[in-house]
Amino acid sequence: METPIYILGIESSCDDTSASVICNAQILSNVVANQEVHAKYGGVVPELASRAHQQNIVPVVQQALAQANIGKEQLAAIAFTKGPGLMGSLLVGTSFAKSLALGLNIPLLDVNHMQAHILAHFIKSDDNKMPPFPFICLTISGGHTQIVKVTNYFEMEVLGETIDDAVGEAFDKSAKIIGLPYPGGPLIDKYAQLGNPKAYPFTKPKVGDLDFSFSGLKTGILYFIQKQQRINPNFIKENLNDICASIQFTIVEILMDKLKNAVKKTNIKHIAIAGGVSANSEIRKRLQLAEKHLGWTTYIPKFEYTTDNAAMIAISGYLKYLNKDYSDVSVTAKARLKVTE
Ligand code: KG4
Ligand code: ZN
């Protein structure tokens, strides 16, 4: 039997405090504390996020250890998110991870949040298939939209990315226009289930083959809604499902177009998605169809590993641990960090 290597992962880059225990690529616990405090402000308030992380981090880590049924003295290493993210939020996880690693006298592993979203595909479970190298990963979150060629665990190349808003922002800002609370992405997904995706055609942006742009779409949606409301003040209420379905359809069409371009350019047909927006039901459905119609093999993460979570930090830490790629205690959080760094 394999010797068990237990690693604690800590994620605190934005507004979720999370801790996870992994044992040799298998997740034993993945505790996420969402910060409700931001909803009333319509977006994440950085100062409030840091404070909430400080409140949550100790109980979240304790819960992760308890659920995994291990004591902290059994840990082989501590992995944490170094960046990218909100500086005040990152500092909480970084300082906590350092102190704990020093106190337990075990290695510290710094993890790139963007790489971690992708590496979540290497979490072992009974029912998941792992992508073979090289594969293409569409990373879609609240802060990033990238097409990445993944040649090895820590060898990645950005083939294209957004020149303005991230796709999660496109969902959240569109949701705000139609009066839905933050984060609106999951709500658009929910209402879209009952709507007609072809009800309102929105214009797709024109940018480079593998790049994205969402700010024009957002403006297009705003003008369309304002115009319709002048004609019928109840337009949103009466047509919410169709509006949501049309917005979601347009965004997913854009994503699929770009993935097709990436396949054409690289001839790689192993396609993964990662990040918060990969929870979206329409992109999941369209990828499953692409298996049938385009001959792709697609890799869709488990729902709990899509939005920010520490399990993805734990698996990345485990892969680094196997390479003995430990961090120095002088390591610092980085608000800006490329997926290739
Ligand atoms: O990866 P993530 O949790 O945080 C960042 O690193 O940004 O992504 C959060 C984003 C938010 O914009 C949220 O609205 C979006 O993911 N999201 C969704 C869905 N679930 C989460 N967007 C569309 N459909 C969903 N089902
Ligand atoms: Zn993220």
Side-chain angles (χ1 to χ4, degrees):
M1 217 182 81
E2 223 174 346
T3 322
I5 298 169
Y6 297 103
I7 291 176
L8 173 71
I10 294 172
E11 154 64 29
S12 74
S13 65
C14 190
D15 60 338
D16 296 310
T17 319
S18 181
S20 165
V21 176
I22 196 166
C23 178
N24 302 353
Q26 266 176 314
I27 297 297
L28 302 183
S29 63
N30 181 33
V31 179
V32 184
N34 303 115
Q35 301 180 358
E36 305 298 339
V37 61
H38 307 286
K40 65 173 183 262
Y41 298 98
V44 177
V45 184
E47 184 128 344
L48 296 179
S50 333
R51 255 189 261 173
H53 282 305
Q54 271 195 324
Q55 275 173 345
N56 293 340
I57 192 132
V58 172
V60 164
V61 167
Q62 277 174 336
Q63 210 180 324
L65 289 169
Q67 276 183 21
N69 203 19
I70 65 154
K72 57 183 182 308
E73 63 290 340
Q74 286 174 270
L75 292 171
I78 312 282
F80 71 98
T81 305
K82 173 184 170 179
L86 300 169
M87 191 41 120
S89 292
L90 291 167
L91 285 175
V92 178
T94 305
S95 304
F96 185 88
K98 278 191 192 190
S99 315
L100 192 56
L102 272 173
L104 295 170
N105 196 23
I106 53 176
L108 181 67
L109 305 153
D110 66 83
V111 171
N112 178 322
H113 180 93
M114 298 310 297
Q115 290 181 354
H117 269 301
I118 298 173
L119 295 174
H121 283 283
F122 296 97
I123 292 170
K124 216 190 249 175
S125 72
D126 297 335
D127 53 355
N128 75 327
K129 59 179 198 276
M130 292 181 192
F133 299 117
F135 66 93
I136 299 290
C137 186
L138 174 69
T139 309
I140 38 181
S141 74
H144 297 268
T145 304
Q146 293 182 329
I147 297 183
V148 181
K149 180 178 165 187
V150 187
T151 315
N152 211 325
Y153 295 125
F154 298 101
E155 266 173 54
M156 305 185 184
E157 182 193 345
V158 177
L159 302 180
E161 61 192 328
T162 182
I163 58 165
D164 43 55
D165 290 350
V167 63
E169 274 179 287
F171 269 106
D172 296 340
K173 287 179 179 173
S174 308
K176 199 171 176 178
I177 293 169
I178 54 174
L180 299 176
Y182 176 86
L187 292 170
I188 291 196
D189 193 354
K190 182 177 141 197
Y191 293 118
Q193 310 285 329
L194 301 168
N196 171 11
K198 304 263 173 74
Y200 310 110
F202 296 114
T203 313
K204 290 195 275 179
K206 288 186 183 64
V207 274
D209 271 4
L210 299 178
D211 286 329
F212 301 87
S213 165
F214 291 104
S215 69
L217 175 66
K218 176 192 65 194
T219 314
I221 292 168
L222 176 67
Y223 289 166
F224 170 77
I225 296 289
Q226 285 175 338
K227 190 173 153 202
Q228 295 300 322
Q229 278 186 313
R230 280 195 291 272
I231 302 164
N232 171 12
N234 288 328
F235 176 75
I236 296 177
K237 211 166 135 199
E238 288 168 11
N239 302 285
L240 186 63
N241 295 340
D242 284 350
I243 298 169
C244 288
S246 301
I247 293 172
Q248 177 166 286
F249 178 77
T250 310
I251 293 177
V252 173
E253 274 280 302
I254 295 169
L255 299 176
M256 289 303 293
D257 284 352
K258 299 298 175 171
L259 274 180
K260 284 178 200 162
N261 291 346
V263 170
K264 213 186 278 171
K265 192 161 176 186
T266 60
N267 216 12
I268 298 170
K269 289 190 172 182
H270 289 278
I271 308 294
I273 51 170
V277 182
S278 65
N280 183 266
S281 59
E282 182 69 15
I283 184 82
R284 290 174 166 243
K285 201 163 67 195
R286 294 289 295 274
L287 283 179
Q288 272 155 7
L289 284 174
E291 292 230 338
K292 229 194 273 168
H293 301 303
L294 302 173
W296 298 359
T297 310
T298 63
Y299 305 86
I300 300 172
K302 277 198 174 154
F303 199 75
E304 62 263 40
Y305 305 141
T306 55
T307 48
D308 289 347
N309 65 87
M312 68 186 199
I313 305 304
I315 183 69
S316 309
Y318 174 67
L319 294 168
K320 283 198 156 188
Y321 183 86
L322 294 180
N323 290 340
K324 294 198 169 51
D325 188 4
Y326 308 148
S327 318
D328 191 83
V329 280
S330 64
V331 63
T332 56
K334 291 257 187 311
R336 287 166 181 275
L337 193 64
K338 295 197 176 107
V339 72
T340 45
E341 284 180 88

